[in-house]
Amino acid sequence: MSQTISCMIMRGGTSRGPYFNMSDLPSDREACADILMKVMGSGHELQLDGIGGGNSLTSKVAMVGPSTHPDADVDYLFAQVSIIEKKVDFAPNCGNMLAGVAPFAIETGLFPALQDKTTVRIHNLNTGKIIHSTVLTPNGQVEYKGDITISGTNSPGAPIELTFLDVEGAKTGKLLPTGNKTNQIDSVEVTCIDAATPVVIINAAELGKTGHEAPSELDEDHEFMSRLENIRLQAGELMGMGDVSESVIPKPILLSPASQGGTVCARYFVPHKCHKALAVTGSIAIVTACCLPGTVASKLIGDTGNTSFFTLEHPSGKIELTAQRKDDDPSELNSVSLIRTAKKILSGTVYLN
């Protein structure tokens, strides 16, 4: 008899993947990874034997269960499933898939819906951080339809407000894991910062790029991609993360002056391909760096003063974020918020054999 698991496939932000109840999967990470690779179809560039989409943005998994944290309502574990390689990375969080967590929790009875709107406090197991997700729930039902269109998608939806609390040190425990606002790696000035996710921020001009190139143009420049990976690997060592050659973090980010009226323009890598939009967690890291004087980001855009609103340009458009600064030190943040949307696509059963 075939082994089966129930799941819901959702678009969360600009990503897509299956959402599972944690109780339906093994608690052992290695055994869980084996199942997730079968589910997604790892080992083939098109993931033909699974439900992955042959792209890093559609080869993601969210697992949700009752909270193990006193300040949260549900736990959320994210997994990035490799497409061709038989590998699953549980290290990073995904802020786009996060957009579907509250709807999934309400739909599956993990958390009760309130009238009008419901806020679900989410404990991310990848980072240990807390995120508040507020969704519209008229008559106690999740509302997916709306008029909000986020860049990188082609259908409008109801707004889902995500507020990331205490973003500093998501993986390393430190905002500046190297102890410096900038470091020199291969004669290139970088900022290694860990806010929502660890990243390596570089002024695109330092690598001979405008920062406005199409993702495919950057991906096809093999010499550039090799240099970028070399910088990433050295940054991982400097950040105390050790050998990161088998991990997707830290993520490299190229920044350049905005050209469409935004705060700054970004090219985000995942890490061996350029993202066609911009990751939520990477966006938070950029905003945090913009608020901290002396970083590569703040040097590029200049003094932000007490600005709370940031617009980051990316290949598919823009993403807008709101930073709540600390009263006693505006360079430090209490939280970062943004709007995403989600779409329920399918609810059903996955066959593993």
Side-chain angles (χ1 to χ4, degrees):
M1 181 178 290
S2 297
Q3 183 182 358
T4 62
I5 302 178
S6 296
C7 78
M8 184 180 293
I9 296 178
M10 302 180 73
R11 173 182 63 75
T14 56
S15 296
R16 191 192 73 212
Y19 288 70
F20 294 99
N21 193 310
M22 284 184 186
S23 62
D24 292 334
L25 292 166
S27 57
D28 177 76
R29 290 286 173 88
E30 187 173 340
C32 182
D34 286 341
I35 289 177
L36 297 185
M37 286 186 288
K38 291 179 181 178
V39 166
M40 303 307 283
S42 294
H44 190 284
E45 63 180 4
L46 299 179
Q47 295 179 304
L48 284 177
D49 284 335
I51 58 176
N55 185 286
S56 63
L57 303 186
T58 56
S59 191
K60 300 184 175 190
V61 177
M63 293 153 278
V64 187
S67 176
T68 56
H69 193 288
D71 297 326
D73 303 309
V74 298
D75 281 352
Y76 156 55
L77 177 65
F78 169 71
Q80 181 72 55
V81 182
S82 293
I83 297 168
I84 297 177
E85 296 180 84
K86 293 294 187 75
K87 185 171 65 175
V88 177
D89 196 342
F90 293 99
N93 180 17
C94 177
N96 276 300
M97 289 291 283
L98 177 68
V101 170
F104 176 81
I106 294 170
E107 294 264 15
T108 56
L110 287 169
F111 190 76
L114 303 177
Q115 291 296 320
D116 299 327
K117 63 181 180 180
T118 303
T119 297
V120 181
R121 302 172 303 166
I122 300 166
H123 174 217
N124 176 235
L125 297 180
N126 306 87
T127 62
K129 299 297 186 179
I130 304 294
I131 305 99
H132 292 180
S133 177
T134 300
V135 301
L136 299 183
T137 51
N139 302 314
Q141 302 292 319
V142 177
E143 178 62 79
Y144 295 98
K145 294 182 179 179
D147 56 6
I148 301 296
T149 300
I150 60 173
S151 297
T153 68
N154 60 358
S155 62
I160 297 174
E161 182 178 9
L162 300 177
T163 299
F164 288 71
L165 310 178
D166 183 28
V167 299
E168 298 184 6
K171 293 302 294 186
T172 65
K174 300 176 182 178
L175 177 64
L176 299 170
T178 70
N180 303 309
K181 293 179 180 178
T182 63
N183 292 88
Q184 291 285 327
I185 300 179
D186 287 351
S187 301
V188 174
E189 184 180 48
V190 306
T191 288
C192 299
I193 192 167
D194 182 3
T197 192
V199 302
V200 187
I201 297 176
I202 307 166
N203 187 324
E206 291 246 7
L207 294 179
K209 299 297 182 182
T210 66
H212 296 271
E213 292 87 354
S216 59
E217 183 179 348
L218 294 170
D219 292 344
E220 292 165 7
D221 187 339
H222 301 299
E223 183 178 345
F224 160 75
M225 292 298 294
S226 177
R227 189 180 184 194
L228 190 66
E229 175 65 0
N230 185 49
I231 291 173
R232 188 185 81 87
L233 294 177
Q234 292 185 62
E237 294 283 357
L238 289 175
M239 297 171 81
M241 301 174 68
D243 181 2
V244 297
S245 58
E246 296 298 314
S247 175
V248 298
I249 53 176
K251 303 284 182 65
I253 302 176
L254 299 188
L255 294 185
S256 60
S259 62
Q260 302 296 322
T263 307
V264 72
C265 181
R267 292 295 182 266
Y268 181 84
F269 294 80
V270 291
H272 304 124
K273 284 183 177 293
C274 183
H275 200 300
K276 291 180 172 58
L278 183 54
V280 167
T281 50
S283 302
I284 293 170
I286 293 170
V287 167
T288 305
C290 287
C291 293
L292 186 60
T295 65
V296 168
S298 66
K299 289 180 181 180
L300 181 64
I301 68 172
D303 183 16
T304 60
N306 290 320
T307 299
S308 297
F309 302 100
F310 296 84
T311 300
L312 311 183
E313 299 174 3
H314 58 73
S316 297
K318 63 183 180 180
I319 183 170
E320 298 173 333
L321 303 96
T322 302
Q324 185 184 57
R325 296 175 182 258
K326 293 184 178 180
D327 293 335
D328 57 344
D329 187 352
S331 70
E332 297 184 9
L333 306 180
N334 284 318
S335 65
V336 181
S337 302
L338 71 160
I339 298 296
R340 298 279 86 185
T341 62
K343 181 180 180 180
K344 183 170 66 171
I345 299 170
L346 176 151
S347 184
T349 302
V350 177
Y351 291 79
L352 302 181
N353 299 329

